[in-house]
Amino acid sequence: QQQVDEGTGEVQVAALDQFHRAEFGYSYRILTVLYAFRFGVGIVRGTTLKDGHKQPVGLDYGFAELLFEFHRLLAVEPKVIFGGSEEGLEAGGGAVLRIGNTLGTHVDLGFEIITTVGSTVLLRFAWDTVPGFMMGLNAELTDFPSSQSWGTRLYFDAAFIGYKHVYARGLLGYATRNSRKGGVIAGVSVDVNF
């Protein structure tokens, strides 16, 4: 679908910009300076505007993360990613700097880059003032999943520590692309600790 901007006369293409991301991972806590490691697989499927046309986007990948806790109030979490997309082989990585208690109130500052798929810069403030819940406010600047145009994602998440170490997490927020179009974002996850 095309629209003409009456002010500039430019032809604009209206395209659905959405994607779904799912991951399955395994974590193991060592509780030393190397506090934990995590590895897993993930998929991304969606539609975005690429070079003025609506196109499907996708990525199948594997990842590995290490969490180094240098002090009870300072941690670093590097990540490597390898996978494949419509463009071919993809590689990437990222890192998170955590200031504060890993299992309590803290601030995260991080990034993730995947070659042709896109980049994300994130800021998160998390707190645990309500017993049984971990909550967070998140702000992201991203061109994921097409590395064509930048957008923002602002969202709130809450994790409930349930029965026998089962954690259920949900998120809800709003995202925009090019500061013009936006929509609701939502997600869920379940963690089982044993």
Side-chain angles (χ1 to χ4, degrees):
Q1 181 180 6
Q2 293 185 341
Q3 299 172 335
V4 177
D5 186 318
E6 301 204 8
T8 64
E10 294 178 358
V11 175
Q12 298 178 337
V13 178
L16 179 65
D17 182 28
Q18 57 83 29
F19 69 93
H20 308 281
R21 185 174 189 171
E23 288 186 346
F24 178 78
Y26 173 80
S27 299
Y28 185 79
R29 289 190 184 132
I30 302 169
L31 306 179
T32 62
V33 171
L34 175 55
Y35 186 84
F37 65 85
R38 179 175 180 248
F39 59 89
V41 295
I43 61 167
V44 175
R45 296 291 183 269
T47 307
T48 194
L49 188 63
K50 271 188 169 181
D51 302 321
H53 302 285
K54 187 169 119 175
Q55 294 183 4
V57 292
L59 174 69
D60 298 322
Y61 63 96
F63 64 88
E65 300 172 351
L66 299 173
L67 175 57
F68 295 97
E69 191 173 77
F70 300 110
H71 181 273
R72 68 179 188 86
L73 299 177
L74 180 65
V76 175
E77 188 172 19
K79 177 180 189 176
V80 295
I81 301 167
F82 291 101
S85 71
E86 292 89 354
E87 304 292 329
L89 184 64
E90 301 286 353
V96 173
L97 171 65
R98 180 166 297 131
I99 301 170
N101 184 345
T102 296
L103 300 176
T105 301
H106 61 268
V107 173
D108 289 344
L109 179 62
F111 71 93
E112 179 181 87
I113 300 171
I114 304 173
T115 43
T116 65
V117 179
S119 308
T120 300
V121 177
L122 67 96
L123 174 64
R124 179 171 194 261
F125 174 67
W127 68 94
D128 63 345
T129 54
V130 178
F133 285 88
M134 174 66 83
M135 294 169 279
L137 289 175
N138 304 264
E140 296 181 0
L141 178 65
T142 184
D143 63 351
F144 193 86
S146 67
S147 70
Q148 294 286 314
S149 60
W150 287 93
T152 57
R153 296 177 3 131
L154 303 171
Y155 58 95
F156 169 80
D157 69 80
F160 172 66
I161 304 168
Y163 179 70
K164 291 196 175 181
H165 307 291
V166 176
Y167 295 74
R169 178 177 178 254
L171 68 86
L172 185 64
Y174 190 79
T176 64
R177 182 77 69 188
N178 290 332
S179 303
R180 282 180 267 168
K181 302 211 184 242
V184 173
I185 60 172
V188 294
S189 67
V190 176
D191 293 342
V192 179
N193 294 326
F194 51 87

